Amino acid sequence: MRFFNSVVFTIAALITGVTVATPPSILVPADVQMAANIDLDRVKANPLGQQLVGGFQSGITASLAEDPESASAGEMIDALGFDPIADAKRITVLCSNFENAPQSVCVILELQKTTGNLEGLLLAMPEYQSSVHRDYQIHSVVLDGDRLYGSVHTAADGTKRVVAGLAAKPVHQVLDHFDGQTGAELSRRLPLATGNLVDVNLFALPQAALSEPPFSTAAEMIQTAAVTLSDQGASLRASVNFVTQVDGQAEQLRQMIQGSVAMINSMAQNGTDPGMALAANYLQSVSINRSGKTVSVTVEIPQAMLAEQLSAAMGN
């Protein structure tokens, strides 16, 4: 009987563990209009991502080499106490007001379990100031004429997050939501473990998108939109899901997108616009589908083609 009880207890514990386990997520303000997430670990594991990171590192090294008074990249990493490129795991960008984006955007940089000497080095930055919000020290410095506010949040697992913005308020709000300091009705849970390189969710559309037809007509139909970019091995898959208010609008939107693709292909065949020819290359494998109120557009783009164009753009 004791053995039977142990088996039952073990099975129950396993079932409970499976039920309770949830993908990683963060609490963010419920009024966010846009949430973008870049999984830097996946980007750095992708060939195109490695090409971009390599170009970025080369650019920094070349820039530092041009200034005889500047420290080398290695010396700067030693002073910082960690390698920001190697240790950066994720970037999340939140915007709560498209009409006043500079004052409502918050950028969250997720690192490993250390920020090295970052907070100490900020003291030497131009016009450094400091304030306190709850248990957090809010640092602010001036970069390129703009005052930047930021703080460091430590997650339950010890992961460090640098929270920054051009205003103190969005930084305070994100810190409060991270710590569950606001009611559930004021928070939105943003999943982090998506498996994609990039995820962008639009919970509202910018008013600028409503200004001119035909975009204004389409934008008025759309309630939310989601964009993802994922690594499919030989190709990158870009997907966009539009959710409309009613099924009829979704069908109209599908037809509008289908017509636009056909127009691009026609203009590319006529050879009148090089830009259209490039767009047609990207749209060779486009798939447009509708299910209820949702219109899905998916494109598979060969990574080799993107790598070649990226090399040309970077002057390699």
PDB file of all heavy atoms in Angstrom, residues 188-228:
ATOM      1  N   ARG A 188      -0.848  43.439 -19.002  1.00  0.00           N
ATOM      2  CA  ARG A 188      -0.951  42.506 -20.124  1.00  0.00           C
ATOM      3  C   ARG A 188       0.227  41.548 -20.010  1.00  0.00           C
ATOM      4  O   ARG A 188       1.356  41.966 -19.797  1.00  0.00           O
ATOM      5  CB  ARG A 188      -0.882  43.270 -21.458  1.00  0.00           C
ATOM      6  CG  ARG A 188      -1.064  42.384 -22.687  1.00  0.00           C
ATOM      7  CD  ARG A 188      -0.749  43.153 -23.955  1.00  0.00           C
ATOM      8  NE  ARG A 188      -1.588  44.301 -24.156  1.00  0.00           N
ATOM      9  CZ  ARG A 188      -2.799  44.268 -24.721  1.00  0.00           C
ATOM     10  NH1 ARG A 188      -3.298  43.098 -25.119  1.00  0.00           N
ATOM     11  NH2 ARG A 188      -3.506  45.371 -24.871  1.00  0.00           N
ATOM     12  N   ARG A 189      -0.045  40.242 -20.133  1.00  0.00           N
ATOM     13  CA  ARG A 189       1.034  39.253 -20.044  1.00  0.00           C
ATOM     14  C   ARG A 189       1.613  39.027 -21.434  1.00  0.00           C
ATOM     15  O   ARG A 189       0.908  38.622 -22.350  1.00  0.00           O
ATOM     16  CB  ARG A 189       0.524  37.939 -19.448  1.00  0.00           C
ATOM     17  CG  ARG A 189       1.641  36.927 -19.205  1.00  0.00           C
ATOM     18  CD  ARG A 189       1.182  35.784 -18.311  1.00  0.00           C
ATOM     19  NE  ARG A 189       0.958  36.213 -16.952  1.00  0.00           N
ATOM     20  CZ  ARG A 189       1.909  36.391 -16.043  1.00  0.00           C
ATOM     21  NH1 ARG A 189       3.178  36.188 -16.372  1.00  0.00           N
ATOM     22  NH2 ARG A 189       1.614  36.761 -14.824  1.00  0.00           N
ATOM     23  N   LEU A 190       2.890  39.314 -21.585  1.00  0.00           N
ATOM     24  CA  LEU A 190       3.560  39.205 -22.876  1.00  0.00           C
ATOM     25  C   LEU A 190       4.426  37.949 -22.889  1.00  0.00           C
ATOM     26  O   LEU A 190       5.413  37.858 -22.165  1.00  0.00           O
ATOM     27  CB  LEU A 190       4.427  40.450 -23.109  1.00  0.00           C
ATOM     28  CG  LEU A 190       5.153  40.553 -24.436  1.00  0.00           C
ATOM     29  CD1 LEU A 190       4.156  40.699 -25.584  1.00  0.00           C
ATOM     30  CD2 LEU A 190       6.120  41.729 -24.419  1.00  0.00           C
ATOM     31  N   PRO A 191       4.075  36.945 -23.721  1.00  0.00           N
ATOM     32  CA  PRO A 191       4.887  35.717 -23.795  1.00  0.00           C
ATOM     33  C   PRO A 191       6.277  36.022 -24.333  1.00  0.00           C
ATOM     34  O   PRO A 191       6.458  36.904 -25.172  1.00  0.00           O
ATOM     35  CB  PRO A 191       4.102  34.830 -24.775  1.00  0.00           C
ATOM     36  CG  PRO A 191       2.736  35.407 -24.826  1.00  0.00           C
ATOM     37  CD  PRO A 191       2.896  36.876 -24.602  1.00  0.00           C
ATOM     38  N   LEU A 192       7.265  35.264 -23.851  1.00  0.00           N
ATOM     39  CA  LEU A 192       8.634  35.449 -24.306  1.00  0.00           C
ATOM     40  C   LEU A 192       9.159  34.239 -25.080  1.00  0.00           C
ATOM     41  O   LEU A 192       9.920  34.392 -26.027  1.00  0.00           O
ATOM     42  CB  LEU A 192       9.552  35.731 -23.107  1.00  0.00           C
ATOM     43  CG  LEU A 192       9.303  37.046 -22.365  1.00  0.00           C
ATOM     44  CD1 LEU A 192      10.242  37.170 -21.179  1.00  0.00           C
ATOM     45  CD2 LEU A 192       9.463  38.229 -23.290  1.00  0.00           C
ATOM     46  N   ALA A 193       8.768  33.042 -24.702  1.00  0.00           N
ATOM     47  CA  ALA A 193       9.284  31.836 -25.354  1.00  0.00           C
ATOM     48  C   ALA A 193       8.431  31.492 -26.573  1.00  0.00           C
ATOM     49  O   ALA A 193       7.576  30.622 -26.538  1.00  0.00           O
ATOM     50  CB  ALA A 193       9.298  30.661 -24.365  1.00  0.00           C
ATOM     51  N   THR A 194       8.643  32.192 -27.675  1.00  0.00           N
ATOM     52  CA  THR A 194       7.816  32.000 -28.864  1.00  0.00           C
ATOM     53  C   THR A 194       8.482  31.116 -29.910  1.00  0.00           C
ATOM     54  O   THR A 194       7.827  30.591 -30.783  1.00  0.00           O
ATOM     55  CB  THR A 194       7.494  33.353 -29.516  1.00  0.00           C
ATOM     56  OG1 THR A 194       8.729  33.986 -29.878  1.00  0.00           O
ATOM     57  CG2 THR A 194       6.744  34.257 -28.552  1.00  0.00           C
ATOM     58  N   GLY A 195       9.801  30.999 -29.859  1.00  0.00           N
ATOM     59  CA  GLY A 195      10.511  30.221 -30.864  1.00  0.00           C
ATOM     60  C   GLY A 195      10.834  30.999 -32.126  1.00  0.00           C
ATOM     61  O   GLY A 195      11.417  30.456 -33.055  1.00  0.00           O
ATOM     62  N   ASN A 196      10.459  32.274 -32.185  1.00  0.00           N
ATOM     63  CA  ASN A 196      10.723  33.108 -33.355  1.00  0.00           C
ATOM     64  C   ASN A 196      11.924  34.007 -33.125  1.00  0.00           C
ATOM     65  O   ASN A 196      12.303  34.288 -31.991  1.00  0.00           O
ATOM     66  CB  ASN A 196       9.498  33.976 -33.679  1.00  0.00           C
ATOM     67  CG  ASN A 196       8.281  33.149 -34.017  1.00  0.00           C
ATOM     68  OD1 ASN A 196       8.357  32.162 -34.747  1.00  0.00           O
ATOM     69  ND2 ASN A 196       7.135  33.542 -33.480  1.00  0.00           N
ATOM     70  N   LEU A 197      12.491  34.484 -34.218  1.00  0.00           N
ATOM     71  CA  LEU A 197      13.557  35.478 -34.109  1.00  0.00           C
ATOM     72  C   LEU A 197      12.986  36.812 -33.654  1.00  0.00           C
ATOM     73  O   LEU A 197      13.556  37.485 -32.805  1.00  0.00           O
ATOM     74  CB  LEU A 197      14.255  35.656 -35.464  1.00  0.00           C
ATOM     75  CG  LEU A 197      14.929  34.421 -36.078  1.00  0.00           C
ATOM     76  CD1 LEU A 197      15.386  34.719 -37.495  1.00  0.00           C
ATOM     77  CD2 LEU A 197      16.107  33.979 -35.228  1.00  0.00           C
ATOM     78  N   VAL A 198      11.862  37.186 -34.269  1.00  0.00           N
ATOM     79  CA  VAL A 198      11.223  38.469 -33.994  1.00  0.00           C
ATOM     80  C   VAL A 198       9.720  38.277 -33.872  1.00  0.00           C
ATOM     81  O   VAL A 198       9.118  37.530 -34.651  1.00  0.00           O
ATOM     82  CB  VAL A 198      11.520  39.495 -35.109  1.00  0.00           C
ATOM     83  CG1 VAL A 198      10.806  40.814 -34.843  1.00  0.00           C
ATOM     84  CG2 VAL A 198      13.024  39.718 -35.263  1.00  0.00           C
ATOM     85  N   ASP A 199       9.110  38.934 -32.904  1.00  0.00           N
ATOM     86  CA  ASP A 199       7.652  38.984 -32.747  1.00  0.00           C
ATOM     87  C   ASP A 199       7.247  40.432 -32.541  1.00  0.00           C
ATOM     88  O   ASP A 199       7.820  41.123 -31.700  1.00  0.00           O
ATOM     89  CB  ASP A 199       7.186  38.182 -31.520  1.00  0.00           C
ATOM     90  CG  ASP A 199       7.380  36.693 -31.691  1.00  0.00           C
ATOM     91  OD1 ASP A 199       6.491  36.056 -32.253  1.00  0.00           O
ATOM     92  OD2 ASP A 199       8.441  36.191 -31.257  1.00  0.00           O
ATOM     93  N   VAL A 200       6.273  40.887 -33.314  1.00  0.00           N
ATOM     94  CA  VAL A 200       5.738  42.235 -33.133  1.00  0.00           C
ATOM     95  C   VAL A 200       4.223  42.128 -33.049  1.00  0.00           C
ATOM     96  O   VAL A 200       3.583  41.553 -33.931  1.00  0.00           O
ATOM     97  CB  VAL A 200       6.116  43.172 -34.303  1.00  0.00           C
ATOM     98  CG1 VAL A 200       5.541  44.554 -34.064  1.00  0.00           C
ATOM     99  CG2 VAL A 200       7.626  43.241 -34.471  1.00  0.00           C
ATOM    100  N   ASN A 201       3.653  42.665 -31.976  1.00  0.00           N
ATOM    101  CA  ASN A 201       2.201  42.673 -31.810  1.00  0.00           C
ATOM    102  C   ASN A 201       1.701  44.105 -31.768  1.00  0.00           C
ATOM    103  O   ASN A 201       2.164  44.911 -30.952  1.00  0.00           O
ATOM    104  CB  ASN A 201       1.799  41.949 -30.519  1.00  0.00           C
ATOM    105  CG  ASN A 201       1.940  40.450 -30.637  1.00  0.00           C
ATOM    106  OD1 ASN A 201       1.113  39.787 -31.245  1.00  0.00           O
ATOM    107  ND2 ASN A 201       3.004  39.909 -30.060  1.00  0.00           N
ATOM    108  N   LEU A 202       0.772  44.423 -32.666  1.00  0.00           N
ATOM    109  CA  LEU A 202       0.117  45.726 -32.669  1.00  0.00           C
ATOM    110  C   LEU A 202      -1.279  45.548 -32.093  1.00  0.00           C
ATOM    111  O   LEU A 202      -2.136  44.899 -32.697  1.00  0.00           O
ATOM    112  CB  LEU A 202       0.037  46.282 -34.093  1.00  0.00           C
ATOM    113  CG  LEU A 202       1.356  46.703 -34.737  1.00  0.00           C
ATOM    114  CD1 LEU A 202       1.137  47.062 -36.203  1.00  0.00           C
ATOM    115  CD2 LEU A 202       1.979  47.876 -33.998  1.00  0.00           C
ATOM    116  N   PHE A 203      -1.505  46.109 -30.911  1.00  0.00           N
ATOM    117  CA  PHE A 203      -2.811  46.024 -30.274  1.00  0.00           C
ATOM    118  C   PHE A 203      -3.698  47.191 -30.688  1.00  0.00           C
ATOM    119  O   PHE A 203      -4.880  47.217 -30.382  1.00  0.00           O
ATOM    120  CB  PHE A 203      -2.642  45.993 -28.756  1.00  0.00           C
ATOM    121  CG  PHE A 203      -1.761  44.866 -28.290  1.00  0.00           C
ATOM    122  CD1 PHE A 203      -0.474  45.110 -27.835  1.00  0.00           C
ATOM    123  CD2 PHE A 203      -2.200  43.563 -28.333  1.00  0.00           C
ATOM    124  CE1 PHE A 203       0.349  44.080 -27.414  1.00  0.00           C
ATOM    125  CE2 PHE A 203      -1.382  42.509 -27.917  1.00  0.00           C
ATOM    126  CZ  PHE A 203      -0.111  42.776 -27.459  1.00  0.00           C
ATOM    127  N   ALA A 204      -3.096  48.147 -31.381  1.00  0.00           N
ATOM    128  CA  ALA A 204      -3.805  49.274 -31.988  1.00  0.00           C
ATOM    129  C   ALA A 204      -2.960  49.730 -33.155  1.00  0.00           C
ATOM    130  O   ALA A 204      -1.765  49.424 -33.224  1.00  0.00           O
ATOM    131  CB  ALA A 204      -3.995  50.411 -30.984  1.00  0.00           C
ATOM    132  N   LEU A 205      -3.563  50.438 -34.100  1.00  0.00           N
ATOM    133  CA  LEU A 205      -2.827  50.914 -35.267  1.00  0.00           C
ATOM    134  C   LEU A 205      -2.531  52.397 -35.136  1.00  0.00           C
ATOM    135  O   LEU A 205      -3.355  53.157 -34.626  1.00  0.00           O
ATOM    136  CB  LEU A 205      -3.629  50.663 -36.546  1.00  0.00           C
ATOM    137  CG  LEU A 205      -3.891  49.207 -36.916  1.00  0.00           C
ATOM    138  CD1 LEU A 205      -4.562  49.130 -38.284  1.00  0.00           C
ATOM    139  CD2 LEU A 205      -2.615  48.387 -36.920  1.00  0.00           C
ATOM    140  N   PRO A 206      -1.341  52.825 -35.598  1.00  0.00           N
ATOM    141  CA  PRO A 206      -1.021  54.262 -35.560  1.00  0.00           C
ATOM    142  C   PRO A 206      -2.005  55.060 -36.401  1.00  0.00           C
ATOM    143  O   PRO A 206      -2.441  54.611 -37.461  1.00  0.00           O
ATOM    144  CB  PRO A 206       0.389  54.314 -36.176  1.00  0.00           C
ATOM    145  CG  PRO A 206       0.911  52.927 -36.104  1.00  0.00           C
ATOM    146  CD  PRO A 206      -0.266  52.016 -36.163  1.00  0.00           C
ATOM    147  N   GLN A 207      -2.362  56.235 -35.928  1.00  0.00           N
ATOM    148  CA  GLN A 207      -3.274  57.086 -36.689  1.00  0.00           C
ATOM    149  C   GLN A 207      -2.694  57.442 -38.049  1.00  0.00           C
ATOM    150  O   GLN A 207      -3.428  57.663 -39.009  1.00  0.00           O
ATOM    151  CB  GLN A 207      -3.562  58.372 -35.906  1.00  0.00           C
ATOM    152  CG  GLN A 207      -4.486  58.163 -34.717  1.00  0.00           C
ATOM    153  CD  GLN A 207      -5.861  57.663 -35.136  1.00  0.00           C
ATOM    154  OE1 GLN A 207      -6.483  58.194 -36.053  1.00  0.00           O
ATOM    155  NE2 GLN A 207      -6.333  56.613 -34.472  1.00  0.00           N
ATOM    156  N   ALA A 208      -1.364  57.442 -38.155  1.00  0.00           N
ATOM    157  CA  ALA A 208      -0.733  57.754 -39.436  1.00  0.00           C
ATOM    158  C   ALA A 208      -1.118  56.727 -40.494  1.00  0.00           C
ATOM    159  O   ALA A 208      -1.171  57.039 -41.685  1.00  0.00           O
ATOM    160  CB  ALA A 208       0.780  57.793 -39.272  1.00  0.00           C
ATOM    161  N   ALA A 209      -1.408  55.493 -40.047  1.00  0.00           N
ATOM    162  CA  ALA A 209      -1.782  54.451 -41.002  1.00  0.00           C
ATOM    163  C   ALA A 209      -3.189  54.654 -41.535  1.00  0.00           C
ATOM    164  O   ALA A 209      -3.587  54.010 -42.510  1.00  0.00           O
ATOM    165  CB  ALA A 209      -1.672  53.079 -40.337  1.00  0.00           C
ATOM    166  N   LEU A 210      -3.966  55.521 -40.879  1.00  0.00           N
ATOM    167  CA  LEU A 210      -5.351  55.746 -41.281  1.00  0.00           C
ATOM    168  C   LEU A 210      -5.506  56.959 -42.192  1.00  0.00           C
ATOM    169  O   LEU A 210      -6.613  57.316 -42.560  1.00  0.00           O
ATOM    170  CB  LEU A 210      -6.222  55.958 -40.036  1.00  0.00           C
ATOM    171  CG  LEU A 210      -6.165  54.871 -38.965  1.00  0.00           C
ATOM    172  CD1 LEU A 210      -6.980  55.297 -37.757  1.00  0.00           C
ATOM    173  CD2 LEU A 210      -6.689  53.550 -39.495  1.00  0.00           C
ATOM    174  N   SER A 211      -4.379  57.574 -42.559  1.00  0.00           N
ATOM    175  CA  SER A 211      -4.466  58.876 -43.217  1.00  0.00           C
ATOM    176  C   SER A 211      -4.807  58.826 -44.701  1.00  0.00           C
ATOM    177  O   SER A 211      -5.600  59.638 -45.179  1.00  0.00           O
ATOM    178  CB  SER A 211      -3.155  59.637 -43.016  1.00  0.00           C
ATOM    179  OG  SER A 211      -2.072  58.883 -43.542  1.00  0.00           O
ATOM    180  N   GLU A 212      -4.223  57.914 -45.464  1.00  0.00           N
ATOM    181  CA  GLU A 212      -4.396  57.933 -46.912  1.00  0.00           C
ATOM    182  C   GLU A 212      -4.903  56.590 -47.429  1.00  0.00           C
ATOM    183  O   GLU A 212      -4.437  55.543 -47.004  1.00  0.00           O
ATOM    184  CB  GLU A 212      -3.063  58.273 -47.591  1.00  0.00           C
ATOM    185  CG  GLU A 212      -2.527  59.663 -47.249  1.00  0.00           C
ATOM    186  CD  GLU A 212      -1.237  59.970 -47.967  1.00  0.00           C
ATOM    187  OE1 GLU A 212      -0.861  59.164 -48.848  1.00  0.00           O
ATOM    188  OE2 GLU A 212      -0.616  60.989 -47.659  1.00  0.00           O
ATOM    189  N   PRO A 213      -5.840  56.632 -48.401  1.00  0.00           N
ATOM    190  CA  PRO A 213      -6.280  55.393 -49.036  1.00  0.00           C
ATOM    191  C   PRO A 213      -5.183  54.899 -49.988  1.00  0.00           C
ATOM    192  O   PRO A 213      -4.375  55.702 -50.463  1.00  0.00           O
ATOM    193  CB  PRO A 213      -7.542  55.826 -49.792  1.00  0.00           C
ATOM    194  CG  PRO A 213      -7.360  57.289 -50.027  1.00  0.00           C
ATOM    195  CD  PRO A 213      -6.572  57.808 -48.865  1.00  0.00           C
ATOM    196  N   PRO A 214      -5.091  53.572 -50.269  1.00  0.00           N
ATOM    197  CA  PRO A 214      -6.020  52.545 -49.791  1.00  0.00           C
ATOM    198  C   PRO A 214      -5.680  52.031 -48.399  1.00  0.00           C
ATOM    199  O   PRO A 214      -6.410  51.225 -47.842  1.00  0.00           O
ATOM    200  CB  PRO A 214      -5.837  51.442 -50.838  1.00  0.00           C
ATOM    201  CG  PRO A 214      -4.403  51.570 -51.231  1.00  0.00           C
ATOM    202  CD  PRO A 214      -4.107  53.043 -51.228  1.00  0.00           C
ATOM    203  N   PHE A 215      -4.548  52.515 -47.853  1.00  0.00           N
ATOM    204  CA  PHE A 215      -4.129  52.019 -46.545  1.00  0.00           C
ATOM    205  C   PHE A 215      -5.134  52.377 -45.457  1.00  0.00           C
ATOM    206  O   PHE A 215      -5.371  51.598 -44.536  1.00  0.00           O
ATOM    207  CB  PHE A 215      -2.750  52.582 -46.196  1.00  0.00           C
ATOM    208  CG  PHE A 215      -1.691  52.245 -47.197  1.00  0.00           C
ATOM    209  CD1 PHE A 215      -1.212  53.205 -48.070  1.00  0.00           C
ATOM    210  CD2 PHE A 215      -1.185  50.960 -47.281  1.00  0.00           C
ATOM    211  CE1 PHE A 215      -0.241  52.901 -49.012  1.00  0.00           C
ATOM    212  CE2 PHE A 215      -0.216  50.642 -48.218  1.00  0.00           C
ATOM    213  CZ  PHE A 215       0.258  51.612 -49.091  1.00  0.00           C
ATOM    214  N   SER A 216      -5.729  53.562 -45.571  1.00  0.00           N
ATOM    215  CA  SER A 216      -6.700  53.978 -44.564  1.00  0.00           C
ATOM    216  C   SER A 216      -7.910  53.053 -44.559  1.00  0.00           C
ATOM    217  O   SER A 216      -8.440  52.712 -43.500  1.00  0.00           O
ATOM    218  CB  SER A 216      -7.129  55.421 -44.818  1.00  0.00           C
ATOM    219  OG  SER A 216      -7.691  55.562 -46.112  1.00  0.00           O
ATOM    220  N   THR A 217      -8.347  52.615 -45.745  1.00  0.00           N
ATOM    221  CA  THR A 217      -9.496  51.710 -45.843  1.00  0.00           C
ATOM    222  C   THR A 217      -9.181  50.383 -45.176  1.00  0.00           C
ATOM    223  O   THR A 217      -9.995  49.834 -44.413  1.00  0.00           O
ATOM    224  CB  THR A 217      -9.872  51.474 -47.317  1.00  0.00           C
ATOM    225  OG1 THR A 217     -10.111  52.734 -47.943  1.00  0.00           O
ATOM    226  CG2 THR A 217     -11.114  50.606 -47.419  1.00  0.00           C
ATOM    227  N   ALA A 218      -7.997  49.849 -45.441  1.00  0.00           N
ATOM    228  CA  ALA A 218      -7.602  48.574 -44.847  1.00  0.00           C
ATOM    229  C   ALA A 218      -7.405  48.715 -43.346  1.00  0.00           C
ATOM    230  O   ALA A 218      -7.835  47.855 -42.564  1.00  0.00           O
ATOM    231  CB  ALA A 218      -6.329  48.069 -45.508  1.00  0.00           C
ATOM    232  N   ALA A 219      -6.764  49.822 -42.924  1.00  0.00           N
ATOM    233  CA  ALA A 219      -6.466  50.009 -41.511  1.00  0.00           C
ATOM    234  C   ALA A 219      -7.729  50.118 -40.669  1.00  0.00           C
ATOM    235  O   ALA A 219      -7.757  49.681 -39.512  1.00  0.00           O
ATOM    236  CB  ALA A 219      -5.594  51.247 -41.316  1.00  0.00           C
ATOM    237  N   GLU A 220      -8.788  50.717 -41.239  1.00  0.00           N
ATOM    238  CA  GLU A 220     -10.040  50.850 -40.501  1.00  0.00           C
ATOM    239  C   GLU A 220     -10.687  49.496 -40.237  1.00  0.00           C
ATOM    240  O   GLU A 220     -11.474  49.346 -39.303  1.00  0.00           O
ATOM    241  CB  GLU A 220     -10.989  51.755 -41.273  1.00  0.00           C
ATOM    242  CG  GLU A 220     -10.579  53.228 -41.246  1.00  0.00           C
ATOM    243  CD  GLU A 220     -11.457  54.082 -42.148  1.00  0.00           C
ATOM    244  OE1 GLU A 220     -12.332  53.512 -42.821  1.00  0.00           O
ATOM    245  OE2 GLU A 220     -11.254  55.311 -42.181  1.00  0.00           O
ATOM    246  N   MET A 221     -10.353  48.502 -41.049  1.00  0.00           N
ATOM    247  CA  MET A 221     -10.915  47.162 -40.867  1.00  0.00           C
ATOM    248  C   MET A 221     -10.169  46.382 -39.784  1.00  0.00           C
ATOM    249  O   MET A 221     -10.729  45.503 -39.139  1.00  0.00           O
ATOM    250  CB  MET A 221     -10.810  46.359 -42.169  1.00  0.00           C
ATOM    251  CG  MET A 221     -11.522  46.941 -43.370  1.00  0.00           C
ATOM    252  SD  MET A 221     -11.206  45.871 -44.812  1.00  0.00           S
ATOM    253  CE  MET A 221     -12.052  46.798 -46.107  1.00  0.00           C
ATOM    254  N   ILE A 222      -8.885  46.715 -39.598  1.00  0.00           N
ATOM    255  CA  ILE A 222      -8.012  45.883 -38.773  1.00  0.00           C
ATOM    256  C   ILE A 222      -8.078  46.293 -37.305  1.00  0.00           C
ATOM    257  O   ILE A 222      -7.922  47.462 -36.961  1.00  0.00           O
ATOM    258  CB  ILE A 222      -6.560  45.989 -39.280  1.00  0.00           C
ATOM    259  CG1 ILE A 222      -6.473  45.488 -40.727  1.00  0.00           C
ATOM    260  CG2 ILE A 222      -5.615  45.197 -38.384  1.00  0.00           C
ATOM    261  CD1 ILE A 222      -5.150  45.803 -41.393  1.00  0.00           C
ATOM    262  N   GLN A 223      -8.305  45.308 -36.448  1.00  0.00           N
ATOM    263  CA  GLN A 223      -8.292  45.550 -35.005  1.00  0.00           C
ATOM    264  C   GLN A 223      -6.902  45.365 -34.422  1.00  0.00           C
ATOM    265  O   GLN A 223      -6.416  46.198 -33.663  1.00  0.00           O
ATOM    266  CB  GLN A 223      -9.281  44.608 -34.304  1.00  0.00           C
ATOM    267  CG  GLN A 223     -10.740  44.984 -34.508  1.00  0.00           C
ATOM    268  CD  GLN A 223     -11.656  44.196 -33.594  1.00  0.00           C
ATOM    269  OE1 GLN A 223     -11.498  42.971 -33.444  1.00  0.00           O
ATOM    270  NE2 GLN A 223     -12.605  44.871 -32.986  1.00  0.00           N
ATOM    271  N   THR A 224      -6.268  44.229 -34.755  1.00  0.00           N
ATOM    272  CA  THR A 224      -4.919  43.947 -34.272  1.00  0.00           C
ATOM    273  C   THR A 224      -4.117  43.305 -35.400  1.00  0.00           C
ATOM    274  O   THR A 224      -4.689  42.788 -36.370  1.00  0.00           O
ATOM    275  CB  THR A 224      -4.921  42.990 -33.058  1.00  0.00           C
ATOM    276  OG1 THR A 224      -5.466  41.723 -33.450  1.00  0.00           O
ATOM    277  CG2 THR A 224      -5.727  43.565 -31.916  1.00  0.00           C
ATOM    278  N   ALA A 225      -2.793  43.338 -35.238  1.00  0.00           N
ATOM    279  CA  ALA A 225      -1.914  42.709 -36.216  1.00  0.00           C
ATOM    280  C   ALA A 225      -0.721  42.109 -35.485  1.00  0.00           C
ATOM    281  O   ALA A 225      -0.285  42.627 -34.452  1.00  0.00           O
ATOM    282  CB  ALA A 225      -1.445  43.718 -37.261  1.00  0.00           C
ATOM    283  N   ALA A 226      -0.212  41.004 -36.015  1.00  0.00           N
ATOM    284  CA  ALA A 226       0.950  40.346 -35.419  1.00  0.00           C
ATOM    285  C   ALA A 226       1.920  39.964 -36.532  1.00  0.00           C
ATOM    286  O   ALA A 226       1.507  39.417 -37.556  1.00  0.00           O
ATOM    287  CB  ALA A 226       0.535  39.104 -34.632  1.00  0.00           C
ATOM    288  N   VAL A 227       3.190  40.265 -36.323  1.00  0.00           N
ATOM    289  CA  VAL A 227       4.238  39.961 -37.299  1.00  0.00           C
ATOM    290  C   VAL A 227       5.265  39.051 -36.634  1.00  0.00           C
ATOM    291  O   VAL A 227       5.680  39.309 -35.498  1.00  0.00           O
ATOM    292  CB  VAL A 227       4.926  41.245 -37.793  1.00  0.00           C
ATOM    293  CG1 VAL A 227       5.990  40.924 -38.838  1.00  0.00           C
ATOM    294  CG2 VAL A 227       3.909  42.231 -38.345  1.00  0.00           C
ATOM    295  N   THR A 228       5.662  37.992 -37.320  1.00  0.00           N
ATOM    296  CA  THR A 228       6.702  37.104 -36.796  1.00  0.00           C
ATOM    297  C   THR A 228       7.734  36.826 -37.876  1.00  0.00           C
ATOM    298  O   THR A 228       7.420  36.835 -39.071  1.00  0.00           O
ATOM    299  CB  THR A 228       6.124  35.757 -36.310  1.00  0.00           C
ATOM    300  OG1 THR A 228       5.532  35.058 -37.419  1.00  0.00           O
ATOM    301  CG2 THR A 228       5.075  35.971 -35.231  1.00  0.00           C
TER     302      THR A 228
END
